[in-house]
Amino acid sequence: MATMHDVARLARVSVSTVSYVLTGTRPISQATRDKVLAAMAELDYQPNAMARGLASRRSRILGLLMPMDERGLGATETAFVTGAAAAASTAGYHLVLSPVGGGDLDDLRRLATQRMLDGVVLMEVQLADERVTVLQEAGVPLVLIGRTGDTSALSYVDIDFEQTVREAVAHLVGLGHRRIVYVNHSAATLASGYGPALRTRDAFVSAMTGHGLEPVMIAAEDSAAGGRAALAAAFAQAPELTAVLAMNETAIFGILGELTGRGLSVPDDVSVVSMVTSPQVAELATPALTAMTSPGSALGRIAIEALLRHLDGPAGGRHQQLLPCALEIRGSTAAPRSRQPMGADQ
Amino acid sequence: MATMHDVARLARVSVSTVSYVLTGTRPISQATRDKVLAAMAELDYQPNAMARGLASRRSRILGLLMPMDERGLGATETAFVTGAAAAASTAGYHLVLSPVGGGDLDDLRRLATQRMLDGVVLMEVQLADERVTVLQEAGVPLVLIGRTGDTSALSYVDIDFEQTVREAVAHLVGLGHRRIVYVNHSAATLASGYGPALRTRDAFVSAMTGHGLEPVMIAAEDSAAGGRAALAAAFAQAPELTAVLAMNETAIFGILGELTGRGLSVPDDVSVVSMVTSPQVAELATPALTAMTSPGSALGRIAIEALLRHLDGPAGGRHQQLLPCALEIRGSTAAPRSRQPMGADQ
DNA sequence: AATCTTCGTCGAAGCGGTTCGACGAAGCGG
DNA sequence: CCGCTTCGTCGAACCGCTTCGACGAAGATT
């Protein structure tokens, strides 16, 4: 393994010159630069990341802390990760994914405090998130995906749930639906302060009310069984429902199964819209689901770019941005059977 | 940020003594150790990972190179990752996940060659995998999940596909099925030399032949549409089929949809077994799928443990191990309608 | 022409640890 | 009682790179 000294000797320059060629910190004449580059190529030189990190006090490693529960990562999260990785790589940074579950805050603290990470992107932030506190105390630059309850001081990128729900509801209302049920995450999730669940709930209420319609929300466990139960509950509360809006990638399959089980056809009897859903998952269902597609990879890229800005200038200030999901119409929505489309209010 | 010097000064010992307390490389008296530990606690000392890595030539970081395609990570892969992360953490190592796609071999080479990773676990290994070559050239200790074509020189952990297929077939045959179709990954995937697809194909042929039955295999694209097409092809080739064995988590939903579309009921008309499938996914379907559950987290743990053994003693030699999937019977398999169970051959 | 910048390069001092050789103090057998 | 290990500790030399101050050679300024 060649070192900088080897390169310097071969190129007949000093080590510092080699370093300047590498980092561009000081001007170097073209002739010298060429000599050095030739020597590096000949020796197949690769800088030692540890030494570089120690001397420069920057590891050039960014952490992406992601949740890893038993359910696995959806295509949405994956798009997010690849978007972030690409952005980091472009900027010459490595992105390491750390599967810190809820429990191991200590592990997180260690990572942050050992100066191994220049900055961190936090996924799936809770409204009150201990990890944020830990990282702030450790003084690690931070960008959130999602928002804490108090959004004042931190940088974040998040899905614009309000806008997304509004669009989804408008789509259904535009088709002529009046009785629309929103299937959210579980009651426990809501109680735990999961931002997306709470925000969409509120947005749904306000969107429906805005159309002069009555909002009905059902909480569903994240499982197929939960979806089936939720649909039953929905019919109990709103017997004439003609459309279901759901933000629960797991439950939605139960919902569809139960619909079929009741002899109801999608979309003729009941329209279904799935929110924050990747095209891949939407296509799994028969018929393919009309869905609000999340801006996954853009979200990842923007988060990393904001983080990098923080590293360069601490004066950078906060970056706060919301991105809406895009409506993609597939086979699971249509005008309700019993009425004409009403052209509604948009 | 306190350094070792600060700790040494406060404890009135030399830096090397502090280091020995930390690493346990040399004996230290209890009295001194206590003084040092007290000083560390008081200063809230955390060793600097970079400095430690530079001096010791070990980063204490293990890499897990995982594929990140658009489809996302299944629960199977996730279990794998969490198993690996837990094992690494127990041993005092960090595990970083690197989402290296197919393209960026350079990025991989850089990571490996910059001495940032002590060792690497490679997921989703192809029969002929360039990444293996790159890493071997870089001299990075390596453990594979999956196997290359030539298994002689490398350490690996893999699913025992032969055994898994044999069990799945035995289950169906035991129920009385005679016409069983195997839905594999796509023809392109097979052609690309994807080990699991090839091994299960061979195992299926041999298992069926062993029962005196004719093996019928269909290649399916990894999509719901692919599954539907595959089922149509299956009925074309084997009109009286009563059971489908599938190893394609995506296509299986299309298969189920198409079955329902044809007015066939699962499991009464056709039994379905899904291979290398997590309980979470199996439960998504209605009825829940009888599946061969992969030993995900065990696989991850074992891979990391083998890797750590490589780091300690290069004399460690290879570690090669196969783990079978466990049959979990749910609602998608039953005796075929037209015949009695036959008690078959086990 | 003398002085002042700017440019390009060098040498050396760290960055925060690990590790090796050395060395005094005990503990030991003979 | 003496020489010989063993134990516990220290000092110093790195690990491979960045970065700062210095300095000679040009080019610009007056």
Side-chain angles (χ1 to χ4, degrees), chain A residues 19-30:
Chain A
S19 175
Y20 294 133
V21 169
L22 224 46
T23 61
T25 330
R26 284 196 186 178
I28 292 288
S29 73
Q30 192 57 46

mmCIF file with all atom_site columns, all heavy atoms in Angstrom, chain A residues 19-30:
data_model
loop_
_atom_site.group_PDB
_atom_site.id
_atom_site.type_symbol
_atom_site.label_atom_id
_atom_site.label_alt_id
_atom_site.label_comp_id
_atom_site.label_asym_id
_atom_site.label_entity_id
_atom_site.label_seq_id
_atom_site.pdbx_PDB_ins_code
_atom_site.Cartn_x
_atom_site.Cartn_y
_atom_site.Cartn_z
_atom_site.occupancy
_atom_site.B_iso_or_equiv
_atom_site.pdbx_formal_charge
_atom_site.auth_seq_id
_atom_site.auth_comp_id
_atom_site.auth_asym_id
_atom_site.auth_atom_id
_atom_site.pdbx_PDB_model_num
ATOM 1  N N   . SER A 1 19 ? -0.096 16.550 -1.080  1.00 0.00 ? 19 SER A N   1
ATOM 2  C CA  . SER A 1 19 ? -1.354 16.804 -0.389  1.00 0.00 ? 19 SER A CA  1
ATOM 3  C C   . SER A 1 19 ? -2.128 17.939 -1.066  1.00 0.00 ? 19 SER A C   1
ATOM 4  O O   . SER A 1 19 ? -3.346 17.835 -1.256  1.00 0.00 ? 19 SER A O   1
ATOM 5  C CB  . SER A 1 19 ? -1.074 17.157 1.073   1.00 0.00 ? 19 SER A CB  1
ATOM 6  O OG  . SER A 1 19 ? -2.266 17.505 1.722   1.00 0.00 ? 19 SER A OG  1
ATOM 7  N N   . TYR A 1 20 ? -1.423 18.973 -1.470  1.00 0.00 ? 20 TYR A N   1
ATOM 8  C CA  . TYR A 1 20 ? -2.115 20.088 -2.114  1.00 0.00 ? 20 TYR A CA  1
ATOM 9  C C   . TYR A 1 20 ? -2.694 19.693 -3.464  1.00 0.00 ? 20 TYR A C   1
ATOM 10 O O   . TYR A 1 20 ? -3.761 20.162 -3.850  1.00 0.00 ? 20 TYR A O   1
ATOM 11 C CB  . TYR A 1 20 ? -1.161 21.275 -2.267  1.00 0.00 ? 20 TYR A CB  1
ATOM 12 C CG  . TYR A 1 20 ? -0.757 21.863 -0.939  1.00 0.00 ? 20 TYR A CG  1
ATOM 13 C CD1 . TYR A 1 20 ? 0.568  22.154 -0.646  1.00 0.00 ? 20 TYR A CD1 1
ATOM 14 C CD2 . TYR A 1 20 ? -1.708 22.079 0.055   1.00 0.00 ? 20 TYR A CD2 1
ATOM 15 C CE1 . TYR A 1 20 ? 0.936  22.671 0.585   1.00 0.00 ? 20 TYR A CE1 1
ATOM 16 C CE2 . TYR A 1 20 ? -1.346 22.583 1.290   1.00 0.00 ? 20 TYR A CE2 1
ATOM 17 C CZ  . TYR A 1 20 ? -0.030 22.879 1.551   1.00 0.00 ? 20 TYR A CZ  1
ATOM 18 O OH  . TYR A 1 20 ? 0.317  23.375 2.782   1.00 0.00 ? 20 TYR A OH  1
ATOM 19 N N   . VAL A 1 21 ? -1.985 18.854 -4.142  1.00 0.00 ? 21 VAL A N   1
ATOM 20 C CA  . VAL A 1 21 ? -2.538 18.354 -5.406  1.00 0.00 ? 21 VAL A CA  1
ATOM 21 C C   . VAL A 1 21 ? -3.849 17.630 -5.140  1.00 0.00 ? 21 VAL A C   1
ATOM 22 O O   . VAL A 1 21 ? -4.837 17.788 -5.853  1.00 0.00 ? 21 VAL A O   1
ATOM 23 C CB  . VAL A 1 21 ? -1.545 17.396 -6.092  1.00 0.00 ? 21 VAL A CB  1
ATOM 24 C CG1 . VAL A 1 21 ? -2.229 16.669 -7.243  1.00 0.00 ? 21 VAL A CG1 1
ATOM 25 C CG2 . VAL A 1 21 ? -0.327 18.146 -6.587  1.00 0.00 ? 21 VAL A CG2 1
ATOM 26 N N   . LEU A 1 22 ? -3.842 16.853 -4.080  1.00 0.00 ? 22 LEU A N   1
ATOM 27 C CA  . LEU A 1 22 ? -5.005 16.029 -3.766  1.00 0.00 ? 22 LEU A CA  1
ATOM 28 C C   . LEU A 1 22 ? -6.194 16.862 -3.308  1.00 0.00 ? 22 LEU A C   1
ATOM 29 O O   . LEU A 1 22 ? -7.334 16.615 -3.702  1.00 0.00 ? 22 LEU A O   1
ATOM 30 C CB  . LEU A 1 22 ? -4.604 15.053 -2.655  1.00 0.00 ? 22 LEU A CB  1
ATOM 31 C CG  . LEU A 1 22 ? -5.042 13.617 -2.818  1.00 0.00 ? 22 LEU A CG  1
ATOM 32 C CD1 . LEU A 1 22 ? -4.771 13.138 -4.215  1.00 0.00 ? 22 LEU A CD1 1
ATOM 33 C CD2 . LEU A 1 22 ? -4.336 12.754 -1.795  1.00 0.00 ? 22 LEU A CD2 1
ATOM 34 N N   . THR A 1 23 ? -5.912 17.832 -2.456  1.00 0.00 ? 23 THR A N   1
ATOM 35 C CA  . THR A 1 23 ? -7.017 18.560 -1.848  1.00 0.00 ? 23 THR A CA  1
ATOM 36 C C   . THR A 1 23 ? -7.325 19.871 -2.555  1.00 0.00 ? 23 THR A C   1
ATOM 37 O O   . THR A 1 23 ? -8.392 20.432 -2.356  1.00 0.00 ? 23 THR A O   1
ATOM 38 C CB  . THR A 1 23 ? -6.699 18.889 -0.376  1.00 0.00 ? 23 THR A CB  1
ATOM 39 O OG1 . THR A 1 23 ? -5.525 19.707 -0.341  1.00 0.00 ? 23 THR A OG1 1
ATOM 40 C CG2 . THR A 1 23 ? -6.440 17.627 0.412   1.00 0.00 ? 23 THR A CG2 1
ATOM 41 N N   . GLY A 1 24 ? -6.364 20.367 -3.342  1.00 0.00 ? 24 GLY A N   1
ATOM 42 C CA  . GLY A 1 24 ? -6.609 21.631 -4.021  1.00 0.00 ? 24 GLY A CA  1
ATOM 43 C C   . GLY A 1 24 ? -6.602 22.811 -3.077  1.00 0.00 ? 24 GLY A C   1
ATOM 44 O O   . GLY A 1 24 ? -7.152 23.862 -3.371  1.00 0.00 ? 24 GLY A O   1
ATOM 45 N N   . THR A 1 25 ? -5.985 22.662 -1.925  1.00 0.00 ? 25 THR A N   1
ATOM 46 C CA  . THR A 1 25 ? -6.018 23.724 -0.923  1.00 0.00 ? 25 THR A CA  1
ATOM 47 C C   . THR A 1 25 ? -5.116 24.892 -1.295  1.00 0.00 ? 25 THR A C   1
ATOM 48 O O   . THR A 1 25 ? -5.341 26.015 -0.869  1.00 0.00 ? 25 THR A O   1
ATOM 49 C CB  . THR A 1 25 ? -5.553 23.186 0.446   1.00 0.00 ? 25 THR A CB  1
ATOM 50 O OG1 . THR A 1 25 ? -5.885 21.819 0.525   1.00 0.00 ? 25 THR A OG1 1
ATOM 51 C CG2 . THR A 1 25 ? -6.206 23.956 1.563   1.00 0.00 ? 25 THR A CG2 1
ATOM 52 N N   . ARG A 1 26 ? -4.084 24.592 -2.064  1.00 0.00 ? 26 ARG A N   1
ATOM 53 C CA  . ARG A 1 26 ? -3.190 25.674 -2.487  1.00 0.00 ? 26 ARG A CA  1
ATOM 54 C C   . ARG A 1 26 ? -2.868 25.497 -3.956  1.00 0.00 ? 26 ARG A C   1
ATOM 55 O O   . ARG A 1 26 ? -2.941 24.394 -4.486  1.00 0.00 ? 26 ARG A O   1
ATOM 56 C CB  . ARG A 1 26 ? -1.892 25.637 -1.676  1.00 0.00 ? 26 ARG A CB  1
ATOM 57 C CG  . ARG A 1 26 ? -2.050 26.167 -0.293  1.00 0.00 ? 26 ARG A CG  1
ATOM 58 C CD  . ARG A 1 26 ? -0.699 26.464 0.307   1.00 0.00 ? 26 ARG A CD  1
ATOM 59 N NE  . ARG A 1 26 ? -0.846 26.840 1.698   1.00 0.00 ? 26 ARG A NE  1
ATOM 60 C CZ  . ARG A 1 26 ? 0.162  27.130 2.496   1.00 0.00 ? 26 ARG A CZ  1
ATOM 61 N NH1 . ARG A 1 26 ? 1.405  27.071 2.037   1.00 0.00 ? 26 ARG A NH1 1
ATOM 62 N NH2 . ARG A 1 26 ? -0.044 27.463 3.750   1.00 0.00 ? 26 ARG A NH2 1
ATOM 63 N N   . PRO A 1 27 ? -2.526 26.581 -4.603  1.00 0.00 ? 27 PRO A N   1
ATOM 64 C CA  . PRO A 1 27 ? -2.226 26.489 -6.040  1.00 0.00 ? 27 PRO A CA  1
ATOM 65 C C   . PRO A 1 27 ? -0.972 25.663 -6.296  1.00 0.00 ? 27 PRO A C   1
ATOM 66 O O   . PRO A 1 27 ? -0.007 25.740 -5.538  1.00 0.00 ? 27 PRO A O   1
ATOM 67 C CB  . PRO A 1 27 ? -2.007 27.950 -6.443  1.00 0.00 ? 27 PRO A CB  1
ATOM 68 C CG  . PRO A 1 27 ? -1.639 28.650 -5.181  1.00 0.00 ? 27 PRO A CG  1
ATOM 69 C CD  . PRO A 1 27 ? -2.395 27.949 -4.098  1.00 0.00 ? 27 PRO A CD  1
ATOM 70 N N   . ILE A 1 28 ? -1.006 24.914 -7.352  1.00 0.00 ? 28 ILE A N   1
ATOM 71 C CA  . ILE A 1 28 ? 0.109  24.055 -7.743  1.00 0.00 ? 28 ILE A CA  1
ATOM 72 C C   . ILE A 1 28 ? 0.309  24.247 -9.249  1.00 0.00 ? 28 ILE A C   1
ATOM 73 O O   . ILE A 1 28 ? -0.665 24.305 -9.987  1.00 0.00 ? 28 ILE A O   1
ATOM 74 C CB  . ILE A 1 28 ? -0.240 22.569 -7.453  1.00 0.00 ? 28 ILE A CB  1
ATOM 75 C CG1 . ILE A 1 28 ? -0.322 22.322 -5.942  1.00 0.00 ? 28 ILE A CG1 1
ATOM 76 C CG2 . ILE A 1 28 ? 0.768  21.630 -8.087  1.00 0.00 ? 28 ILE A CG2 1
ATOM 77 C CD1 . ILE A 1 28 ? 1.006  22.330 -5.234  1.00 0.00 ? 28 ILE A CD1 1
ATOM 78 N N   . SER A 1 29 ? 1.530  24.349 -9.665  1.00 0.00 ? 29 SER A N   1
ATOM 79 C CA  . SER A 1 29 ? 1.774  24.543 -11.105 1.00 0.00 ? 29 SER A CA  1
ATOM 80 C C   . SER A 1 29 ? 1.379  23.295 -11.880 1.00 0.00 ? 29 SER A C   1
ATOM 81 O O   . SER A 1 29 ? 1.410  22.178 -11.349 1.00 0.00 ? 29 SER A O   1
ATOM 82 C CB  . SER A 1 29 ? 3.248  24.849 -11.350 1.00 0.00 ? 29 SER A CB  1
ATOM 83 O OG  . SER A 1 29 ? 3.999  23.675 -11.181 1.00 0.00 ? 29 SER A OG  1
ATOM 84 N N   . GLN A 1 30 ? 1.029  23.523 -13.100 1.00 0.00 ? 30 GLN A N   1
ATOM 85 C CA  . GLN A 1 30 ? 0.562  22.397 -13.908 1.00 0.00 ? 30 GLN A CA  1
ATOM 86 C C   . GLN A 1 30 ? 1.632  21.315 -14.028 1.00 0.00 ? 30 GLN A C   1
ATOM 87 O O   . GLN A 1 30 ? 1.351  20.122 -13.956 1.00 0.00 ? 30 GLN A O   1
ATOM 88 C CB  . GLN A 1 30 ? 0.156  22.903 -15.303 1.00 0.00 ? 30 GLN A CB  1
ATOM 89 C CG  . GLN A 1 30 ? -0.604 21.882 -16.127 1.00 0.00 ? 30 GLN A CG  1
ATOM 90 C CD  . GLN A 1 30 ? -1.856 21.411 -15.384 1.00 0.00 ? 30 GLN A CD  1
ATOM 91 O OE1 . GLN A 1 30 ? -2.605 22.218 -14.844 1.00 0.00 ? 30 GLN A OE1 1
ATOM 92 N NE2 . GLN A 1 30 ? -2.077 20.103 -15.334 1.00 0.00 ? 30 GLN A NE2 1
#
